[in-house]
Structures are given as structure tokens and as C-alpha cells.
């Protein structure tokens, strides 16, 4: 489904946004643990940078997982997102 905004087409990201909403809470502790481990192992100081890195990694991981599920198992993708996309 695409929306037309002026002369350009804007892709509808309803299924992706729902997947991120549903999945990020599950992945967040894992990503936070991994980033904390890396920061402690490499002895990097900076809580603010770690916070932003966790958010960015969580978002990116959700997008990658969604894309993989969508490509490899499209029926599962439709089931998980309620056929939003």
C-alpha cells in the first residue's frame, strides 16, 4: 500500500512499525546487556553514548529481523503483523 504525497509516493510502513512496537521490548534487554558488556570490556566511558547506541541497535535489529522474516517466511510475517503490510 502506498500513499501519494504531491508527486512522490510514500511507502506505508504500517507492518514494520507494528513489528518494531511488538518486538523491541523483547530485544531491548538483550541489546542493553550486549552493549553494556562491550563497553565494560573495552573500558569505554560514557553513559549517554551507550544509551543512544542501545536505542539505535535495538531499532536496527528489529528492522533486520522483520526484513528476514518477511523474505524467508512471508506467511509468518503476515501472521505476526496482522496483515498490516
Amino acid at each position: 500500500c502506498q500513499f501519494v504525497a504531491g508527486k512522490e509516493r510514500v511507502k506505508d510502513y504500517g507492518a514494520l512499525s507494528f513489528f518494531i512496537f511488538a518486538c523491541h521490548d523483547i530485544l531491548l534487554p538483550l541489546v542493553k546487556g550486549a552493549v553494556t558488556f562491550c563497553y565494560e570490556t573495552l573500558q569505554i566511558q560514557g553513559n549517554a553514548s551507550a544509551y543512544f547506541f542501545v536505542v539505535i541497535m535495538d531499532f536496527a535489529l528489529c528492522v533486520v529481523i522483520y526484513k528476514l522474516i518477511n523474505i524467508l517466511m512471508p506467511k509468518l510475517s503476515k501472521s505476526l503483523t496482522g496483515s498490516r503490510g
Side-chain angles (χ1 to χ4, degrees):
C1 181
Q2 292 184 348
F3 300 106
V4 177
K7 293 182 180 179
E8 299 195 23
R9 292 183 178 196
V10 179
K11 192 168 184 175
D12 182 16
Y13 291 106
L16 176 60
S17 65
F18 179 76
F19 185 81
I20 292 171
F21 164 74
C23 184
H24 88 278
D25 202 31
I26 298 167
L27 292 177
L28 195 58
L30 301 173
V31 173
K32 184 178 177 184
V35 169
T36 302
F37 176 77
C38 290
Y39 268 63
E40 289 174 356
T41 303
L42 298 173
Q43 298 177 350
I44 300 173
Q45 299 296 323
N47 292 334
S49 64
Y51 176 80
F52 287 112
F53 193 65
V54 166
V55 172
I56 292 168
M57 289 301 298
D58 185 44
F59 176 78
L61 200 58
C62 287
V63 171
V64 167
I65 291 171
Y66 172 76
K67 292 291 185 182
L68 285 174
I69 290 175
N70 204 20
I71 291 169
L72 299 175
M73 299 173 272
K75 288 184 180 180
L76 177 63
S77 176
K78 284 190 176 213
S79 174
L80 289 174
T81 60
S83 300
R84 282 177 169 77

